Amino acid sequence: DDGRYFHATQNDLWLYDDKSGQVTNLTEDYDRAVGSQLLGDVRSMEPAMRPQWSPAGDVIFFTAVDRGNVPIFAVDVKAGASGEARDLLPGICGAAGALVSGPDGLYFTYEKPTAAPEMHFLPHGSYEQSPERLTDFNADLMDELDARPYERITYRGTDDLEIEEFVCYPPDFDAEEKYPLVLYIHGGPHGAYGNTFSVEVQARAAQGRIIVLPNPRGSGGYGQKFMRACVGDWGGLDYQDIMCGVDEVVRRGGVDAERMAVTGISYGGYMTNWTITHTDRFACAITEMCVSNLLSFYGTADIGTHFLEAEIPGSIWEDPENLWDHSPIKYIGDCTTPTLVIHGEDDYRCPIEQGEQVFACLKRRGVDTAMVRFPGCSHVFSRIGKPSHRRKRFRVMEAWLKRYAIEMV
C-alpha cells in the first residue's frame, strides 16, 4: 500500500520495473483490499499474501477480500493501471488462500463455513470452470459435523450507511422459538468476518445459540472509504453499527433478548469493553486480549504510538483527553455486566495490563468478574496457539456462557 491512510489503507497490487524504476498501481481502479483480512480459527490472517505470476509473465494473480469472500483475481501486466481485475471465482461463498501459480495452473486452499480448508486446482486458461478439489484431509471431521452455512444480512446503520453481518443459526432453527445469542466482534479494527470455516462458531451454534458476526464500518472488503470510516471515531458509529446489527437479528425473530452475550478479541475486546460500559442489554461478556485504556496502551503496546496516532489522531501529550474519551475504562463505573477477562501473558500487541485494568475495576465495584491468564501466550494464541491452550480457552468461555444461561434450556 502507499500508506496514505496509515493502518486503514487498503493493500493494492503494485508493479515495479527494475530497469526504468517506474512503479504502477495495478489495482488502482479496484476498490478492494488485496490479501485477506477475513478471520477464522483454522488459519492465521493473511493480509500480505504473495501475488503470483502466470508462466508467460503476462498476468499476475492475487486474492482480495470482497464483501465477506476471498476470490482469486487476475490482472494483465501490459494493461497497467487501466487493467481490469478479473474475478476467477465469480459467485463463490468462501475464501481462497495460500495461492501458488504452477506451470499448469493455480493451486490454492479453499474454505467455506461448511467446509474446512482443502487444496484446489484451477488450470491456466480454463478459469471459467469450477476448481478441482485435490485433498480431502478433513473428510472424517466434516462427516461428523452438522456445519451450518452463514446467512448474509444487510441492514442500515444510524446514518443510513449499508452494513453487512453474517449469522450462523443453530441446527433445526425455528424462528418461533427463543434462542440465546452470542455477538462476536472482530479485531483490527480493519479485519472482517465472512465465509470462512470456524470451529468455534460452529461449536457454539451447535449448542443451540445464534452467532452474530457483524462487519461494522472500518472492516475490510467494502472499499477504502468504508475501511477508514471508523478512524477517529472508535466507539462512535462503529459501535452503533454493531448494535443495529443485533437489533436486526432480534427483529427477524428467534432471539431471547434476555440471554445475549458479547465477546471479541483485540479491537473486538476493546469494543466488548465499550459495549458493556454503554449498555446493560447483554447478560454477560467475554473480553479477550483487549484494549481498555488508550493512555496506557500508547506507551506499552508494541504498536501503541504510531498505531494510535493514526487511528485516534493526536499524541498523548497533545490531546490526552481525546484518548481518554475513547477509552472504555473511563466509563467502567457504568458497567454492571458480568465479564470474563481472558489474556495471554506474552501479548505485546495488547499488553496484559489492559485486561488487568478491566478485571481490577469490576472486582472493586462488585461486578461479577473473573480473569484467566494464559502463560507463554501471544496476541493470536486463539488461532495459532498450543492446542492445550486453545482447548482450555474454549472450555472456560463455555463455562462462563452456561453460567449466565447462554445455552438452550
Side-chain angles (χ1 to χ4, degrees), residues 138-159:
N138 299 294
D140 292 343
L141 171 64
M142 300 312 301
D143 287 344
E144 294 178 6
L145 300 181
D146 184 13
R148 314 304 300 168
Y150 295 170
E151 179 180 350
R152 181 201 300 268
I153 293 176
T154 301
Y155 60 96
R156 295 286 175 176
T158 56
D159 62 346

Side-chain angles (χ1 to χ4, degrees), residues 382-401:
S382 66
R383 295 197 301 273
I384 61 174
K386 293 180 180 179
S388 59
H389 286 149
R390 295 177 67 178
R391 184 167 57 248
K392 180 66 175 179
R393 168 187 166 272
F394 184 90
R395 289 174 176 172
V396 298
M397 292 177 70
E398 189 69 17
W400 193 258
L401 293 173

Side-chain angles (χ1 to χ4, degrees), residues 208-221:
R209 306 176 178 116
I210 299 171
I211 310 300
V212 180
L213 309 165
N215 282 338
R217 68 194 68 204
S219 303

Side-chain angles (χ1 to χ4, degrees), residues 88-327:
L88 305 185
L89 299 173
I92 69 165
C93 290
L99 177 64
V100 173
S101 176
D104 52 348
L106 299 173
Y107 296 84
F108 55 96
T109 59
Y110 180 73
E111 64 181 290
K112 55 185 178 180
T114 56
E118 299 286 356
M119 287 299 302
H120 286 68
F121 172 72
L122 196 60
H124 287 308
S126 301
Y127 304 125
E128 294 78 13
Q129 68 184 53
S130 297
E132 175 190 0
R133 190 173 68 181
L134 300 179
T135 64
D136 212 6
F137 295 124
N138 299 294
D140 292 343
L141 171 64
M142 300 312 301
D143 287 344
E144 294 178 6
L145 300 181
D146 184 13
R148 314 304 300 168
Y150 295 170
E151 179 180 350
R152 181 201 300 268
I153 293 176
T154 301
Y155 60 96
R156 295 286 175 176
T158 56
D159 62 346
D160 206 38
L161 182 66
E162 183 177 279
I163 310 293
E164 280 190 346
E165 63 188 349
F166 293 83
V167 180
C168 187
Y169 290 99
D172 302 319
F173 172 75
D174 181 353
E176 299 301 317
E177 301 291 332
K178 294 296 183 182
Y179 299 80
L181 178 150
V182 183
L183 168 64
Y184 275 76
I185 307 176
H186 70 64
H190 308 299
Y193 287 128
N195 286 308
T196 58
F197 181 74
S198 171
V199 174
E200 182 168 337
V201 169
Q202 294 292 343
R204 303 271 189 238
Q207 295 290 330
R209 306 176 178 116
I210 299 171
I211 310 300
V212 180
L213 309 165
N215 282 338
R217 68 194 68 204
S219 303
Y222 300 91
Q224 181 62 81
K225 183 178 180 181
F226 190 93
M227 190 171 178
R228 63 188 293 259
C230 70
V231 172
D233 189 40
W234 285 21
L237 290 174
D238 51 358
Y239 166 69
Q240 293 180 37
D241 290 343
I242 294 167
M243 292 301 104
C244 287
V246 174
D247 292 340
E248 178 62 24
V249 177
V250 172
R251 185 190 67 79
R252 290 171 177 240
V255 176
D256 186 343
E258 299 300 316
R259 293 189 297 140
M260 300 196 302
V262 56
T263 185
I265 296 174
S266 193
Y267 171 83
Y270 166 93
M271 193 57 71
T272 297
N273 295 338
W274 189 271
T275 298
I276 61 177
T277 56
H278 287 78
T279 182
D280 61 358
R281 70 186 299 186
F282 294 93
C284 69
I286 304 172
T287 182
E288 299 190 78
M289 287 66 81
C290 71
V291 176
S292 62
N293 185 335
L294 296 181
L295 290 170
S296 60
F297 180 86
Y298 184 93
T300 59
D302 61 353
I303 59 169
T305 53
H306 60 86
F307 178 74
L308 277 189
E309 288 176 7
E311 291 286 333
I312 310 290
S315 66
I316 195 170
W317 54 88
E318 292 171 330
D319 197 359
E321 293 81 8
N322 191 36
L323 291 178
W324 184 237
D325 288 343
H326 285 88
S327 297

